[in-house]
Amino acid sequence: MKIPYAESFKIKMVEPIRRSTHEEREKWIKEAKYNLFGLRSDQVFIDLLTDSGSGAMSDRQWAAIMLGDESYAGSSSYFNMKKAIKAILGFDYFLPTHQGRAAENVLFSVLVKPENIVPGNSHFDTTKGHIEFRKARAVDCTIDEANNTQLEHPFKGNIDLDKLETVLRTYPKEQIPFICITVTCNTSGGQPVSMQNLKEVNTLAKKYDIPVLFDSARFAENAYFIKKREKGYEDKTIKEIVREMFQYADMMTMSSKKDAIVNIGGFIACRNEQLFKEAATFNIMFEGYITYGGMSGRDMNALAVGLDEGTEFDYLDTRIRQVAYLASKLDEYGIAYQRPAGGHAIFVDALKVLRNVSREEFPAQTLGIELYLESGIRSVEIGTILADRDPVTRENRYPQLELLRLAIPRRTYTNSHMDVIAASLKNVYERQDKITRGFRIIYEAPIMRHFTVELERL
Ligand SMILES: *Cc1c(COP(=O)(O)O)cnc(C)c1O
């Protein structure tokens, strides 16, 4: 008999979770104004809100925490992080920040000016927020294939080179501070970018003399997909692939809460000393001194270890197989999701699951609430609420896709939890005829409204 696959870790510490009743959940979600961010964690049975900072650290990471050096300047933890960034990503200069959006805030304070254009592949929400906050504009150049959830394409995060070149030709280079490539592309479904595409974008960028920024939160998952799907990379290690990927970047921002498997942290890295110096000034203003930038020494230590563990094949294989396992259950139940399954999450196609809820009434958000009511699973809307209003017209922006993201925290849940998630979605799917109305917004913030939006049931 063929020996089945099993996880590449065993469990040393556990945290109890509790199932609630349907009545409790009805009450709690109403109190949360039908915003899943408004729930308390003990009101949630399986938390798939995000894979950001919610993973389980290893014994090695916890051991590194005990060795954290909390010196204000020049701590050994800073140098551990510097060494890991140089060895794994190849950058000489870096600045720690408290998380990914802080890295964006600091770097974009140097680079992004009003009227600027930042082309890229489906910019992440905080990235887009930091661009638009500076009165600049993000232009999405993702390949069209990404908008068809049922189409199998190995690299749906790729940038369409024609779309990109049109942008580069249309605007003077002074107006384009950088090209932003998100690896993996979170917003289009955790979809990877191929090595070939990274290389071609870099070539085009050089032609127009524009730097390339990698928004790198899930760079290791991207490398795993390159290994699995791109010809010529089968026999390379993840670390070899990562080094090659980053050759095509001039700078990077990182949310370490993702592929560096820590609970908090981020950084900026670059090759240009002048840029580093300019960013360091903003880092000192917004985050902290150059050698800690909003992070404690212990967290920098855990991050350095996490970068190493996060780029090991066995770890990534366990993680991405779990996402694929959940996908296989959804296939069995006929539930549509962004295909093929991404690295960190399943993105359920809400328009295909709740066919009777109109787009004006937020079908993906409605599906998220039904899933919570079903069994206490917390997911997140990646649809019209997240897409927010157009900064100029203030009209709702309807994205091509209306998705419900089920983000899987790293090393946190077992496949039994995946079974519960799949069965719960199946139950919602089976009663979709009874779900005909969605929600109405009663309060929203002027920017990044999804975090604090308040809703009313229609
Ligand atoms: C999470 C994320 C960010 C923002 O990072 P935070 O640590 O949440 O501030 C930016 N870009 C991408 C692609 C991300 O996934």
Side-chain angles (χ1 to χ4, degrees):
M1 183 178 179
K2 187 169 175 284
I3 305 294
Y5 181 80
E7 293 80 358
S8 59
F9 59 80
K10 58 180 177 171
I11 295 165
K12 185 145 35 186
M13 192 184 284
V14 295
E15 177 183 337
I17 48 177
R18 175 180 96 80
R19 277 180 199 255
S20 49
T21 65
H22 197 277
E23 292 68 43
E24 285 174 320
R25 294 192 290 275
E26 283 276 8
K27 177 170 165 283
W28 293 333
I29 192 67
K30 189 159 182 241
E31 284 167 2
K33 303 278 180 9
Y34 299 100
N35 182 339
L36 293 153
F37 285 95
L39 291 169
R40 292 166 48 128
S41 66
D42 59 5
Q43 296 169 340
V44 173
F45 180 49
I46 301 175
D47 204 345
L48 309 181
L49 182 72
T50 177
D51 63 323
S52 178
S54 51
M57 287 201 291
S58 68
D59 51 357
R60 264 180 78 210
Q61 285 180 293
W62 281 107
I65 277 188
M66 297 310 290
L67 297 173
D69 175 355
E70 307 304 339
S71 304
Y72 190 97
S75 83
S76 63
S77 304
Y78 166 82
F79 290 105
N80 289 338
M81 195 169 151
K82 187 176 171 71
K83 199 168 140 195
I85 289 171
K86 175 69 183 172
I88 294 165
L89 305 163
F91 290 97
D92 285 318
Y93 299 101
F94 96 102
L95 288 165
T97 62
H98 79 273
Q99 60 185 86
R101 71 199 66 182
E104 292 162 357
N105 186 32
V106 168
L107 189 65
F108 295 4
S109 292
V110 180
L111 297 175
V112 181
K113 302 281 177 282
E115 311 292 314
N116 277 183
I117 302 290
V118 182
N121 54 343
S122 320
H123 308 63
F124 184 67
D125 59 352
T126 63
T127 317
K128 196 171 185 166
H130 274 293
I131 292 168
E132 292 178 350
F133 179 71
R134 291 172 172 80
K135 310 252 179 295
R137 195 155 60 87
V139 179
D140 185 5
C141 300
T142 317
I143 56 170
D144 289 334
E145 285 88 337
N147 290 322
N148 178 351
T149 61
Q150 298 314 291
L151 189 81
E152 294 274 355
H153 183 293
F155 293 103
K156 275 184 171 174
N158 278 358
I159 288 192
D160 182 319
L161 297 168
D162 291 331
K163 287 188 197 170
L164 177 63
E165 188 151 21
T166 303
V167 175
L168 301 185
R169 253 201 317 257
T170 307
Y171 300 94
K173 83 172 218 218
E174 295 69 33
Q175 215 176 326
I176 308 174
F178 53 86
I179 298 163
C180 177
I181 315 182
T182 312
V183 287
T184 59
C185 191
N186 189 339
T187 313
S188 79
Q191 298 292 322
V193 181
S194 71
M195 190 71 86
Q196 166 137 10
N197 194 249
L198 294 175
K199 189 173 177 174
E200 287 168 346
V201 170
N202 184 274
T203 304
L204 206 53
K206 285 227 169 73
K207 179 173 155 197
Y208 288 87
D209 194 22
I210 291 172
V212 175
L213 166 83
F214 282 8
D215 181 0
S216 320
R218 298 185 184 80
F219 73 93
E221 292 172 10
N222 201 92
Y224 176 91
F225 285 121
I226 288 176
K227 182 177 169 76
K228 287 283 177 174
R229 297 178 186 170
E230 196 162 350
K231 224 170 147 270
Y233 291 93
E234 312 75 359
D235 299 326
K236 294 208 188 294
T237 67
I238 298 293
K239 285 189 167 68
E240 285 167 344
I241 296 171
V242 166
R243 279 303 288 266
E244 185 176 337
M245 280 168 60
F246 280 91
Q247 282 172 15
Y248 302 121
D250 298 292
M251 53 195 166
M252 65 178 285
T253 50
M254 176 73 188
S255 169
S256 305
K257 303 169 72 173
K258 323 290 177 38
D259 277 359
I261 334 178
V262 287
N263 303 122
I264 196 76
F267 58 89
I268 298 163
C270 65
R271 303 184 201 289
N272 182 314
E273 189 182 3
Q274 184 57 29
L275 175 64
F276 163 76
K277 284 184 167 162
E278 287 176 40
T281 305
F282 286 103
N283 213 55
I284 291 170
M285 252 190 332
F286 297 152
E287 292 292 298
Y289 180 64
I290 294 169
T291 63
Y292 74 88
M295 293 187 70
S296 62
R298 67 184 85 96
D299 286 331
M300 288 194 284
N301 261 6
L303 201 167
V305 176
L307 272 180
D308 178 43
E309 283 181 4
T311 49
E312 282 298 308
F313 178 78
D314 284 351
Y315 150 74
L316 284 164
D317 201 32
T318 292
R319 163 153 183 73
I320 292 171
R321 276 171 182 268
Q322 184 169 52
V323 179
Y325 174 78
L326 176 56
S328 72
K329 299 299 280 188
L330 298 190
D331 285 340
E332 199 179 312
Y333 302 149
I335 294 166
Y337 57 89
Q338 171 71 292
R339 308 186 71 90
H344 67 293
I346 296 291
F347 290 67
V348 179
D349 188 339
L351 299 177
K352 291 195 167 65
V353 178
L354 293 187
R355 289 174 194 275
N356 303 317
V357 179
S358 76
R359 295 218 56 186
E360 291 72 28
E361 298 181 7
F362 311 118
Q365 179 70 13
T366 306
L367 179 60
I369 288 161
E370 291 298 332
L371 183 61
Y372 175 71
L373 289 173
E374 185 66 29
S375 60
I377 294 164
R378 172 155 67 173
S379 52
V380 74
E381 191 241 33
I382 307 278
T384 306
I385 295 179
L386 177 74
D388 222 318
R389 293 179 188 274
D390 184 284
V392 179
T393 67
R394 302 305 298 158
E395 291 297 318
N396 273 322
R397 287 191 277 215
Y398 289 97
Q400 296 240 20
L401 299 178
E402 191 73 33
L403 303 169
L404 183 72
R405 187 180 78 172
L406 312 170
I408 314 296
R410 295 166 180 76
R411 312 189 278 212
T412 303
Y413 294 111
T414 67
N415 283 4
S416 308
H417 295 106
M418 301 302 123
D419 291 338
V420 171
I421 298 159
S424 307
L425 262 174
K426 178 173 188 274
N427 288 352
V428 175
Y429 185 48
E430 283 178 352
R431 59 180 165 79
Q432 63 158 309
D433 287 346
K434 297 202 192 79
I435 307 167
T436 55
R437 298 302 302 269
F439 291 83
R440 185 167 77 85
I441 293 179
I442 52 174
Y443 164 78
E444 64 183 285
I447 196 163
M448 287 194 243
R449 64 179 179 183
H450 55 289
F451 289 116
T452 52
V453 71
E454 293 178 2
L455 301 163
E456 186 175 75
R457 207 188 251 293
L458 286 163

